[in-house]
Structure formats: structure tokens, C-alpha cells
Amino acid sequence: MTLPSPRAEEPPPSSLTGEKSVLRLTVEGPLAVLTMDSAPMNLFDEAMWAAWADAVEWLTAHPPRALLVRAEGRVVSAGVDVRVFADLDPAEAESFWRTHLGITQALEALPCPTVFAAHSLTLTAAFELALACDLVVATAQARFGLVERKIAFTPSMGGTQRLALRAGPSRARELVMTGDLYRGSVLAEWGVVNALLPQASFDTDARAYAMRLATGPTRAHRATKEIVRTCLAEGVAAADAALPRIAAEVTATSDHRRAVTAFLTDGPEHETAYEGR
């Protein structure tokens, strides 16, 4: 399978590039960066959700070699604007949440490595989207929560089940049922956060973390995602059954062939520049 390449004649939609965009999409070489910027709380209201829908649609059609999700401001996100719940007709709730869960699923299905960077408070919908990313980086002091119990609700963008996969069902029940906030350092111990980065250099370090993936062997990363996704959905036997085909596809990539040659010539610390092909 061949990764589609972003085309210069098809830039991101204006809803993601304007000065007043609540969610900005920029492309920095092989790395795409999604930045939530809706002061003061980066709330998930209809404008934010619409921007996310636009973003995952464009990224699906034009996958970068890696994606970094980050936020401007004092908090990553204070979660869903509660007025959304006040205005939601119960007769339309199933359709509403199916649509918004689709954003999570589309983010999760991207073929490239995805990194969510949390420098501070990350609640409800934002935390659920973080759990849809391949990797989460945070400060030790960042706080995470699925606090829907405060409005007698349950996380509905897929956070509960994705947390259960990362931390186990008991921890998922604990976090959702108590509605408590948990530090990045605690979630790192649980296996939810992959790396803790210093507060003082967080943004620089998070970008470097994501760029390392963006400049890596893109097709091999895609293969890794497919294997893990198959294992989670269907079990080890299904992943084993798919593996020979996936490995054969990676074997045919130019990055693999050039890296093997460089390894044999220069050793394991060779400096092959991967091209994503």
C-alpha cells in the first residue's frame, strides 16, 4: 500500500488556517501540527468540533509523515462546553455522539504516527482525543480527567474504552467513576503517558519528539500501527496472520532497502535520511 502524498495545490481548508481559527493546522516539512487556540479554555463547542472534523478529513486525504496535537494557552482544554448538553435534544443524542465519536476514530485511523502533547489541564473531549493518538507526552504536573460524572454523564468520544486498553479496565473505571484528576506523572506510571517532558522546554521538546517520528521510516511506522490495531481488534492470531503480508510490503520500500545497505556499510548508527517511501 502506498501512502498518499500531500499535494501543494490542496492546502488545508480556510477554517483551519485563518487568524481566528480555534484549531490551526500547519505543515512543517514532514510534520503536521494541530494547535487548539480558543482562549481562555479551549472548550469543545460546535466551532471546535467542526474544526476537528475538517482537520481529520483533510489529514485523512493528505496524511503527513507524523502529526503533533498541541494547544496554546494556560490549559490544553477544559473539556466540553456544558451548554452543548443543555441544548442537545435527547432524540438527536445518538446521532450527535456517533458523529463526534467519528472524529476520534478518524484520528486513530490515520496511517502516520500521532502524538498528543499535554502541558497542563486536559479534560474530557481533549483527553479522549489524546487517547486516540499513538503516543502521549506531558509534563509531570499536567492534570488529566474524564469528569463527566459532574453532569451525570459518561465519556462519549471513546475515552473509557481506550483508557481501558492502556491502563486496564479497573483503572478506567476508577478514573471515570470518581471523576478525579490525575497528574501526568501518575498516568506515566499507568502506561497512559509515554514520556514526561520538562515544563520549561515542553513545546520545543514535544515538537522534537514528534519530528523524530516524522523523519523516521514512515512505511515501517504505518506497518507497526496496522499490526497493533489488528491485535487489539482481533487478537494475536489475527495479527500473526496479517504479519507476513505487512512485512512483505515494508520489504519493498526504498527506505528499508537503503537502510539495510547503510547498515551493512556503516553499521547500526548509520545516518540514512528516510524519505517516507
Side-chain angles (χ1 to χ4, degrees):
M1 289 181 282
T2 302
L3 276 172
S5 298
R7 294 178 294 233
E9 68 271 17
E10 295 187 27
S14 59
S15 60
L16 300 172
T17 56
E19 291 183 4
K20 296 183 179 180
S21 298
V22 298
L23 180 69
R24 292 195 309 278
L25 175 58
T26 57
V27 179
E28 303 174 6
L31 178 67
V33 181
L34 269 179
T35 301
M36 292 182 285
D37 190 5
S38 181
M41 294 294 181
N42 288 325
L43 289 176
F44 276 74
D45 53 15
E46 285 305 320
M48 181 66 79
W49 266 318
W52 266 98
D54 287 347
V56 295
E57 180 180 8
W58 191 87
L59 289 165
T60 299
H62 308 86
R65 290 176 62 188
L67 171 68
L68 172 66
V69 181
R70 59 180 297 279
E72 288 288 345
R74 186 172 59 86
V75 304
V76 174
S77 174
V80 178
D81 186 339
V82 176
R83 288 172 292 189
V84 169
F85 298 97
D87 296 339
L88 182 59
D89 183 343
E92 299 175 356
E94 183 174 349
S95 175
F96 179 91
W97 289 113
R98 181 178 290 111
T99 297
H100 290 76
L101 175 60
I103 295 172
T104 302
Q105 294 168 330
L107 175 62
E108 191 171 52
L110 290 175
C112 60
T114 55
V115 179
F116 193 101
H119 64 277
S120 59
L121 185 69
T122 306
L123 298 183
T124 67
F127 188 14
E128 294 183 90
L129 289 171
L131 292 166
C133 290
D134 298 313
L135 302 167
V136 180
V137 298
T139 63
Q141 299 78 25
R143 294 180 296 161
F144 296 82
L146 296 173
V147 297
E148 284 84 352
R149 75 180 299 276
K150 295 182 182 296
I151 56 167
F153 198 58
T154 192
S156 294
M157 289 184 68
T160 304
Q161 52 269 43
R162 286 164 178 78
L163 183 61
L165 286 175
R166 293 183 185 232
S170 180
R171 289 299 192 188
R173 288 191 291 264
E174 172 192 340
L175 195 148
V176 174
M177 290 180 178
T178 65
D180 290 343
L181 302 184
Y182 293 78
R183 296 285 185 186
S185 55
V186 172
L187 293 192
E189 293 175 0
W190 291 8
V192 176
V193 168
N194 295 90
L196 296 174
L197 305 178
Q199 183 81 56
S201 56
F202 183 77
D203 190 62
T204 298
D205 291 348
R207 287 175 184 273
Y209 188 99
M211 187 61 79
R212 179 186 179 191
L213 299 174
T215 55
T218 305
R219 295 289 298 279
H221 290 334
R222 175 176 180 167
T224 299
K225 290 189 65 161
E226 184 176 355
I227 293 164
V228 172
R229 183 164 53 245
T230 302
C231 182
L232 291 175
E234 304 175 50
V236 171
D240 283 351
L243 184 56
R245 170 188 59 80
I246 296 170
E249 291 170 356
V250 177
T251 299
T253 65
S254 61
D255 278 345
H256 169 69
R257 295 195 303 273
R258 290 188 302 106
V260 169
T261 299
F263 187 103
L264 294 174
T265 302
D266 303 322
E269 302 306 318
H270 64 87
E271 298 182 357
T272 299
Y274 296 115
E275 299 174 347
R277 298 195 297 268

